[in-house]
């Protein structure tokens, strides 16, 4: 299998990230770790910042799905449109991806590309392109290489590391309608920024926001930073945290760690379904960038 040692820049090497085999990336602006298992970003830490991503310290090892980082959900999100026994969140997150290429940009950023393996009965090609520097850019390109029209859903299932999710806000969702999985996917209306203390159903979140504009800001007063999330090729975004009770049903998340992350998942799911004719392509994009550590003062904790 071709890899970074086969002609890629020396700033890439194979190694271990938290005991998981990964491509380790070092740039003048920060570092990252990417697993070829699932094509999954495990870590992204700009210089001087805590890691933007959360990985469970007790995640299962391959061939089980990895818990944390940025899993690729494709060609379906959750089990949308699939039978009940279908693998959760798609087929490629437990496949070994192929390293395609890497280059160094003039600004020191690394741009690299990975390809998912062909899947039997699915006439789609899938390539993930990453841009790694002071921000993390991701582009997931799906091409219909068959003769028939195809429909699919997908997501970047991003686990964002936070100091305490109970103190965080997510801006950019005010005024949107969302489907709540905890309420049988009934529709509700978002008033103000997202918080885990939403009085309608406090302490947990599993929501698909519809007709989303593609710009969200996670405000984390404990880390005194914001994470700016921008997307393209998407009209939906999912916000998920299981809460203190439901986390006990997860074997690969420590029960005390539920407050250490929140998932903000740029997606095509729910009503946002992609349909491609033969030869057509679709690109789902997201960019994660932290504000400088000097920006926001911590808010006072709620009493």
């Amino acid at each position: 299998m071709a890899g970074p040692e086969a002609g890629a820049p020396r700033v890439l090497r194979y190694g271990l990230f938290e005991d998981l085999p990964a491509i380790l990336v070092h740039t003048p602006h920060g570092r990252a770790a990417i697993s070829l298992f699932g094509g999954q970003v495990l870590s992204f830490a700009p210089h001087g910042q805590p890691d933007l991503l959360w990985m469970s310290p007790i995640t299962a090892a391959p061939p089980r799905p990895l818990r944390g980082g940025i899993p690729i959900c494709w060609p379906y999100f959750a089990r949308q449109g699939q039978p009940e026994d279908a693998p959760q969140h798609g087929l490629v997150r437990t496949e070994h991806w192929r390293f395609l290429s890497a280059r160094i940009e003039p600004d020191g950023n690394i741009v690299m590309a990975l390809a998912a393996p062909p899947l039997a009965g699915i006439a789609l090609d899938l390539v993930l392109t990453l841009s790694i520097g002071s921000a993390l850019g991701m582009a997931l390109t799906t091409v219909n290489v068959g003769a028939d029209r195809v429909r699919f859903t997908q997501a970047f299932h991003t686990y964002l590391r936070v100091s305490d999710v109970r103190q965080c806000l997510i801006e950019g969702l005010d005024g949107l309608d969302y489907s709540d999985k905890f309420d049988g996917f009934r529709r509700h209306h978002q008033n103000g920024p997202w918080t885990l203390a939403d009085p309608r159903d406090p302490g947990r979140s599993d929501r698909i926001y519809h007709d989303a504009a593609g710009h969200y800001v996670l405000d984390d007063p404990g880390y005194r930073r914001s994470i700016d999330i921008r997307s393209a090729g998407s009209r939906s975004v999912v916000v998920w945290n299981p809460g203190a009770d439901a986390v006990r049903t997860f074997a690969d998340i420590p029960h005390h760690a539920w407050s250490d992350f929140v998932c903000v998942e740029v997606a095509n799911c729910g009503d946002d379904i992609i349909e491609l004719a033969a030869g057509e392509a679709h690109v789902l994009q997201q960019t994660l960038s932290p504000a400088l550590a000097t920006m926001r003062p911590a808010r006072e904790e709620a009493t």
Side-chain angles (χ1 to χ4, degrees), residues 232-292:
S234 165
R235 294 186 293 107
S236 51
V237 64
V238 177
V239 179
W240 179 70
N241 181 283
D245 293 332
V247 75
R248 300 180 184 279
T249 67
F250 290 82
D252 54 0
I253 301 177
H255 296 168
H256 67 275
W258 69 272
S259 62
D260 296 341
F261 69 88
V262 61
C263 290
V264 182
E265 308 168 38
V266 169
N268 302 112
C269 66
D271 299 335
D272 180 16
I273 299 172
I274 301 302
E275 184 169 336
L276 297 179
E280 289 185 336
H282 176 267
V283 183
L284 175 65
Q285 299 179 67
Q286 81 167 3
T287 302
L288 305 178
S289 53
L292 296 175

Side-chain angles (χ1 to χ4, degrees), residues 1 81 112 118 121 172 216 222 224 266 269 280:
M1 177 176 62
M112 58 186 295
Y216 324 103
R224 295 180 180 267
V266 169
C269 66
E280 289 185 336

Side-chain angles (χ1 to χ4, degrees), residues 12 101-105 109-113 129-132:
L12 305 185
S101 64
R103 69 179 187 272
I104 303 177
E105 298 285 270
N109 287 3
I110 297 294
V111 176
M112 58 186 295
T129 304
L130 302 169
S131 175
I132 302 165

Side-chain angles (χ1 to χ4, degrees), residues 52-54 68-73 77 89 136 138 154-162 165 168-173 176 193-196 205-209 212-220 226-231 234 236-242 260-269 284-289:
L52 267 66
L53 304 180
W54 178 87
I70 310 180
I72 303 297
C73 304
F77 174 80
H89 286 319
L136 173 65
M138 305 178 68
Q154 60 184 342
F156 292 122
H157 196 312
T158 305
Y159 286 76
L160 295 173
R161 179 185 296 273
V162 296
V165 69
C168 293
L169 300 176
I170 300 174
E171 301 168 354
L173 304 172
L176 298 182
W194 175 94
T195 76
L196 200 68
S205 180
D206 197 345
R207 303 176 176 183
I208 300 174
Y209 287 87
H215 183 203
Y216 324 103
V217 179
L218 172 63
D219 179 14
D220 184 347
S226 292
I227 299 176
D228 189 88
I229 306 157
R230 295 178 184 263
S231 68
S234 165
S236 51
V237 64
V238 177
V239 179
W240 179 70
N241 181 283
D260 296 341
F261 69 88
V262 61
C263 290
V264 182
E265 308 168 38
V266 169
N268 302 112
C269 66
L284 175 65
Q285 299 179 67
Q286 81 167 3
T287 302
L288 305 178
S289 53

Side-chain angles (χ1 to χ4, degrees), residues 31-228:
R31 56 179 172 77
I34 298 96
S35 172
L36 289 178
F37 178 73
Q40 188 162 333
V41 180
L42 306 179
S43 169
F44 172 63
H47 284 316
Q49 292 275 348
D51 206 314
L52 267 66
L53 304 180
W54 178 87
M55 283 294 300
S56 173
I58 58 170
T59 185
R64 297 290 301 278
L66 304 179
R67 174 71 68 180
I70 310 180
I72 303 297
C73 304
W74 185 97
Y76 55 86
F77 174 80
R79 292 189 177 93
Q80 183 170 344
Q82 307 300 313
E84 286 297 319
D85 60 350
Q88 176 78 347
H89 286 319
L91 304 175
V92 296
R93 60 196 290 255
T94 55
E95 295 286 340
H96 287 275
W97 292 48
R98 181 165 53 96
F99 180 91
L100 293 180
S101 64
R103 69 179 187 272
I104 303 177
E105 298 285 270
D107 59 5
N109 287 3
I110 297 294
V111 176
M112 58 186 295
L114 309 176
L119 299 175
I122 299 177
L124 297 170
D125 280 352
L126 184 67
V127 172
L128 174 65
T129 304
L130 302 169
S131 175
I132 302 165
S134 57
L136 173 65
M138 305 178 68
L140 193 64
T141 302
T142 303
V143 181
N144 183 356
V145 296
D148 300 323
R149 298 185 73 87
V150 293
R151 289 161 55 89
F152 64 95
T153 56
Q154 60 184 342
F156 292 122
H157 196 312
T158 305
Y159 286 76
L160 295 173
R161 179 185 296 273
V162 296
S163 58
D164 186 340
V165 69
R166 292 165 290 192
Q167 300 301 319
C168 293
L169 300 176
I170 300 174
E171 301 168 354
L173 304 172
D174 183 28
L176 298 182
D177 289 338
Y178 64 88
S179 299
D180 190 344
K181 184 177 178 180
F182 288 123
D183 189 28
F185 290 102
R186 291 181 177 87
R187 290 217 178 194
H188 301 275
H189 190 73
Q190 180 72 38
N191 294 305
W194 175 94
T195 76
L196 200 68
D198 189 324
R200 195 192 66 76
D201 188 19
R204 61 184 187 175
S205 180
D206 197 345
R207 303 176 176 183
I208 300 174
Y209 287 87
H210 306 286
D211 297 318
H215 183 203
Y216 324 103
V217 179
L218 172 63
D219 179 14
D220 184 347
Y223 280 155
R224 295 180 180 267
R225 74 173 177 192
S226 292
I227 299 176
D228 189 88

